[in-house]
Amino acid sequence: MSFTIKVGLASCGLAAGAGEVYEATLKHIKSKKIDADVKKTACIGMCFVEPLVEIIQDGKKSITYGNVTPENIGTVIDSYMKGKPVLENIIISNIEKGSENDTMKKQERIVLRNCGNINPTSINDYLENKGYQALEKSVIKMKRIDIINEIKKSGLRGRGGAGFSTGLKWQFAYDAKSIKKYIVCNADEGDPGAFMDRSVLEGDPHSVIEGMIIGAYAIGADEGYIYCRAEYPLAIKHLNIAIEQAKEKGFLGNNILDSGFNFELHIKEGAGAFVCGEETALMASIEGKRGMPTIRPPFPAQSGLWEKPTNINNVETFANVAWIILNGGGKYAKHGTEKSPGTKVFALAGKIKNSGLIEVPMGMPLKEVIYDVGGGMKTGKPFKGVQLGGPSGGCLPAELLDTVVDYDSINKTGAIMGSGGMVVMDTSSCMVDIAKFFLNFTQNESCGKCTFCRIGTKRMLEILTRISEGKGNLEDLDTLENLSKNIIAGSLCGLGQTAPNPVLTTLKYFRDEYIAHITDKKCSAGVCSALLKYEINKEKCIGCTLCAVKCPVKCISGERKKAHEIDQEACIKCGACYDACKFDAIDKR
Amino acid sequence: MNNKAEIDNAINKFVGKKGILIPLLQTIQNIESYLSLEVMRYVAEKTGTKLAHIYGVATFYTMFRLKPQGKHIIRVCQGTACHVSGAKTIMSEIMDQLKLSADQDTTNDGLFTVMPVACLGCCSLAPVIMVDDQTHGKLTPDSIKNILKKYK
Ligand SMILES: Cc1cc2nc3c(=O)[nH]c(=O)nc-3n(C[C@H](O)[C@H](O)[C@H](O)COP(=O)(O)O)c2cc1C
Ligand code: FES
């Protein structure tokens, strides 16, 4: 009998304490002289129960444990070895019994095929899982145009947000006449609430690199860049390791697999600017300039990096490529819908039970994604909205949960698919506050080139702030809509063109809430602090003085063991007393 | 400018390659902990780049800091998932614990700098902070004290 113990060590696992679990596993194995292979892997997507440990027997049977701690890992291993695995509350899936858990059952994994299964820092693991076979097939057996045709046949659309046909994009770069061409991977992932690209880069960096090499060969590029945000240190580390390994094996460098094709790949770290996710700004940033978007045309395929034809794709787009080349575009197109073929990785976050990473076929209704795959709401509170597409996207209400996830259906609602972030909200989120949150973000991140984007977003933010403080009036809502129209029309790049979306969708689907803030001066979610009133419930207060101690402006008074009182004039409505009270004696209204 | 030799080293390593300014400034910031006007002038002179261009880049990207920073950097996520999971209270708890006023980002003893960031990519563990290279998730205001203690 052979045993393999895999510990998930991606950023999410590490943040939950997987590093300590890994150490404890090694120590336990050594001290008990257990014959098992301990392997590092990355994120399988079930971040909500990190740290995760999988025990595999003879490469066939396996059990995955969640919420493992350095304290309980010993028991988990020992009882497994004895043939009596502890199963209570930490078991996630038991492949032996064929009972994959619900989070996994409805998924179709192409992009995430290796994530959480292989050791991302081992090229041999990748090779054992058909790694670089697609590259070999491409450079040895296929003509460059055949590759492009295969991608076209798959119907793959760019996963960076806009959903442009990848095959067509490659065709434009292929057609461009130039000796020097570049290929770029957009790993900037600036959209807050999204972490698909991070997981793929951390968990299966070779799949992205292989996709890029194939793309470079197809369009005729000999140099490439991966532009990765600096907030992802582990992803950058794994990419660097993977590039060195690929060079050693002859998949990168000169005369790749004796085909005469040369390709060199660099990593560029971002420096913290959301707008650098936009392709023209990204290229300016690689060139070492301020990341200001420029007008298109010329498109990157004609004049991109250092004015040479450049093809730029997202991480997830590239991660699909090797699978398509190996299995055929036709087979890929069988997944998903006619207009949006394939699968899409979504990052589930917010008030959802199974937060983490999932990959589902396009065309699945939102309801199924959230309730069946995502496990529904985490808190006892009901669902209120789901935010799709980050700062460029929108919030959809419960009535629209029958919408299916594909580019065109989501666009119709006023939101966008975006990169695949899905933040689920319950009734404790205020939609005016969410709109304000995103406007604050875009206003900060606007590069300042276009007047409407620079000043328009600021004016919109001022109006939203006013409304959230109960100082708005009903005409403000028209002004918001008007400004939105003008910002969309008057902005050069996607940042400005989509910045009003969070406001427009909340106005469309949650207008009542705006009106309640304006006319009744009420925030039903209890978020907009200026509209709140904190009062001490005289019946419940036992006079423990904790609130008075915590109050930053010392506006709570009262004798010990007697009911306290809040001076409403002095109260700054910070909620410190509410959070501190252990007797539920502070009412928030 | 305290580490001239190291800075010269960095400049020599990058000079002559294309698109070097951002990684060069990142390297120098790692050495000096921030970009002083003096350093930027020096880089301009050494590389033959216009100072205005260097200053333009340094002010465009949030990663570059023009003021001295603390020994440990605390990045507090303000992204969507963290926002709806109570990032605000985490931030105010950190500010409280470190006795920072609203317009202050570095502690008086120079030990910590607090930086709001948009998303750390660990949204499923919201709310999240990152101290130097270590990410901490599923935070509550009560857990902050223990985390900070490790770095004091
Ligand atoms: C403001 C803004 C931010 C963007 N951020 C990203 C990003 O973080 N990652 C990404 O892949 N694409 C981003 N994009 C889209 C890119 O401009 C580009 O369309 C994409 O990288 C193309 O790749 P694809 O065809 O594979 O989708 C952004 C666009 C805009 C306007
Ligand atoms: S929103 Fe905080 S880590 Fe993503």
Side-chain angles (χ1 to χ4, degrees), chain A residues 11-12 15 47-48 182 192-193 195 198 223 229-230 268 270-273 275-276 285-292 306 349 351 355-356 429 433-434 437-438 441 579, chain B residues 18-23 26 53 56-57 59-64 78-81 83-85 88-89 118-125 130 133-138:
Chain A
S11 292
C12 39
C47 311
F48 59 105
Y182 291 99
F195 50 97
R198 171 185 69 74
E223 200 174 353
R229 66 195 299 241
K268 278 270 172 179
V275 72
C276 286
S285 182
I286 293 181
E287 292 176 11
K289 302 182 194 148
R290 286 163 72 95
M292 305 277 247
W306 290 289
K351 302 293 168 66
S355 57
S429 291
D433 174 70
I434 294 295
F437 167 80
F438 281 114
F441 180 85
D579 293 335
Chain B
K18 55 189 179 180
I20 54 134
L21 187 55
I22 295 170
Q26 272 164 344
H53 180 57
V57 166
T59 49
F60 185 84
Y61 297 98
T62 49
M63 182 146 295
F64 294 123
Q78 314 277 298
T80 324
H83 179 77
V84 302
S85 310
K88 243 190 212 158
T89 43
C119 176
L120 291 167
C122 288
C123 322
S124 45
L125 302 174
M130 189 164 158
D133 264 358
Q134 172 82 41
T135 316
H136 303 267
K138 295 188 184 168

Side-chain angles (χ1 to χ4, degrees), chain A residues 157-166 169 186-191 197 274-280 282 296 312-315 317-318 392 419 493-496 498:
Chain A
R157 296 172 68 168
R159 300 296 193 239
F164 190 79
S165 155
T166 305
K169 206 185 234 184
N186 188 342
D188 196 43
E189 196 161 60
D191 168 0
D197 296 351
F274 172 66
V275 72
C276 286
E278 198 279 336
E279 53 193 31
T280 58
L282 186 148
R296 294 173 306 180
I312 172 164
N313 281 119
N314 165 262
V315 170
T317 313
F318 281 125
S392 316
S419 50
C493 88
L495 190 145
T498 58

